[in-house]
Amino acid sequence: VQVSGLKHKIYKGLNGEDMLMLSWDKSKKSGLQSYEVYARGPQDKSFQKVNQARLLASGFAHATPDARGYRYKVRVVDYWDRFGPFSKEMQLKD
């Protein structure tokens, strides 16, 4: 199952940092356990998983000094620890 409907909203945090709220369409498929969120900053060579705990909901907040230029993608994990394909990449622009 591929995650779809990836979108974002940027808020300013208490210290002026960008707080990015990602959301996506929740899958109705049975057997899914969680979601994984991956990010790549403008200077990064590869994507890194940014959620430490299992995500059961279809949303995730990520704090960054400056969200512009970041890329995100999300995938599902099922109860047997198999990974779905990544969503389409979303790049944050100015």
Side-chain angles (χ1 to χ4, degrees):
V1 174
Q2 186 175 31
V3 172
S4 62
L6 189 59
K7 51 191 172 278
H8 75 281
K9 189 161 196 159
I10 298 175
Y11 301 92
K12 283 296 178 190
L14 294 174
N15 298 317
E17 76 279 15
D18 285 348
M19 290 295 297
L20 176 76
M21 183 63 177
L22 292 172
S23 61
W24 51 89
D25 298 336
K26 187 169 182 161
S27 177
K28 293 180 176 41
K29 184 129 178 143
S30 63
L32 300 181
Q33 176 177 243
S34 62
Y35 297 93
E36 291 185 339
V37 177
Y38 286 74
R40 188 178 95 197
Q43 307 304 320
D44 298 336
K45 294 187 190 313
S46 61
F47 279 88
Q48 299 296 319
K49 183 177 164 188
V50 293
N51 62 299
Q52 301 302 314
R54 290 182 187 242
L55 293 177
L56 304 177
S58 57
F60 178 72
H62 187 219
T64 64
D66 182 359
R68 289 177 298 232
Y70 267 76
R71 294 176 183 265
Y72 290 89
K73 58 186 180 179
V74 179
R75 68 180 177 184
V76 297
V77 181
D78 70 12
Y79 284 109
W80 301 274
D81 287 328
R82 297 179 298 195
F83 304 105
F86 281 107
S87 66
K88 292 181 181 177
E89 284 183 28
M90 178 184 65
Q91 181 176 5
L92 306 183
K93 301 191 179 194
D94 293 338

